[in-house]
Amino acid sequence: MDDEFPRNLQPPPAMKTTQSPNFKINDSITRFSSLALTLAAHLALAESATPPEPPAAPPPAAIEASEVVATEIEAAVQQAPVQPAPVQPPAPSDVDLATLLHGVEHQCQYNDMLERFWRSLANPEAAMRTLHPELQGAIGAIQVTDQADFRMYSIPVRGYWHKVPVSQIQFGLGKGNGIHVLLVEFASPATQATEVFEPLVNRSKLVMAQDPDNTLQATTDLIVDEGKARLICDLST
């Protein structure tokens, strides 16, 4: 595997991406995972405003792996330049994106196609070849924003997921530091995306919290910011 995807991001054969992550963590870890998600969402927005002040440091006993990930993402966001506007994809289409995204709304599971796609992103042409022909026609040019600690891959799309239009898919992938964030941005008004995906995300959170066997400590959320809704899966380790 390319050295930009750390070995510890590859789940053992028994888990792969079809196993739901363990979400049995304490309040401190949850707080810092939420910070990581929010920072990833702000990076996707490519805002030029000054990043928010970091929160007060927790007691030493609360410092865990999720805090390290949150700190790394926050530092990267503070140094990141304004990203260019995404390249426009082909003409609007009625392509169902479920063949690529199905499972993400269910405890952040990656199906085989999505797994092959993200692992090939270092070579955009190879990544496109992992997709079905109808999906290739709905996806625009893959943009890469290179930062010190991670790369952000932005993929403009024109298609539907659960009948809700999607405008962009993004992956934030770390350079040997365990960062792995997936964002799905919806093109419809936030109210439509929220109506469909909020129940799915809430159900995912509940299942994750009750699963005693997962060790990835992944998080999922639906964030609405400036009228846009994004489904986020943070699989950082």
Side-chain angles (χ1 to χ4, degrees):
M1 190 177 111
D2 193 289
D3 59 8
E4 70 187 25
F5 303 122
R7 187 175 299 276
N8 62 7
L9 274 183
Q10 302 181 31
M15 291 178 58
K16 283 205 79 170
T17 54
T18 57
Q19 182 176 355
S20 36
N22 182 15
F23 210 68
K24 196 174 184 181
I25 54 177
N26 59 34
D27 292 340
S28 296
I29 296 177
T30 301
R31 183 170 62 255
F32 283 101
S33 289
S34 298
L35 172 61
L37 296 177
T38 303
L39 290 168
H42 281 289
L43 178 59
L45 283 170
E47 293 179 342
S48 59
T50 302
E53 292 293 328
I63 299 177
E64 303 264 356
S66 293
E67 178 182 0
V68 175
V69 172
T71 302
E72 289 170 344
I73 296 178
E74 181 177 9
V77 171
Q78 290 175 342
Q79 299 172 6
V82 176
Q83 297 183 34
V87 174
Q88 289 300 314
S93 68
D94 294 328
V95 172
D96 187 355
L97 300 172
T99 52
L100 178 64
L101 296 176
H102 178 70
V104 173
E105 76 275 45
H106 304 301
Q107 301 91 60
C108 294
Q109 300 179 59
Y110 284 19
N111 62 47
D112 289 342
M113 185 182 298
L114 186 60
E115 179 82 11
R116 292 193 300 269
F117 181 68
W118 84 261
R119 289 188 182 279
S120 304
L121 283 173
N123 183 338
E125 291 184 2
M128 291 295 289
R129 290 196 295 270
T130 68
L131 304 177
H132 292 162
E134 66 271 18
L135 287 174
Q136 294 177 10
I139 291 181
I142 299 173
Q143 287 190 324
V144 184
T145 303
D146 199 7
Q147 302 298 331
D149 298 323
F150 68 96
R151 290 187 178 94
M152 180 65 78
Y153 296 87
S154 300
I155 306 112
V157 299
R158 292 286 175 86
Y160 293 83
W161 188 28
H162 289 280
K163 299 182 179 180
V164 179
V166 176
S167 61
Q168 184 173 219
I169 300 170
Q170 290 183 299
F171 285 91
L173 303 176
K175 300 177 180 180
N177 53 21
I179 295 174
H180 185 130
V181 179
L182 165 65
L183 303 94
V184 179
E185 180 180 309
F186 298 100
S188 64
T191 51
Q192 180 186 1
T194 299
E195 181 179 358
V196 173
F197 283 93
E198 190 170 56
L200 296 173
V201 169
N202 289 339
R203 190 177 304 123
S204 291
K205 289 181 178 180
L206 181 61
V207 173
M208 289 176 178
Q210 294 177 344
D211 182 1
D213 299 322
N214 190 295
T215 58
L216 294 181
Q217 298 183 347
T219 63
T220 187
D221 209 344
L222 185 68
I223 292 180
V224 177
D225 193 6
E226 294 190 351
K228 292 185 178 181
R230 293 174 177 83
L231 190 155
I232 299 179
C233 285
D234 187 347
L235 304 176
S236 301
T237 58

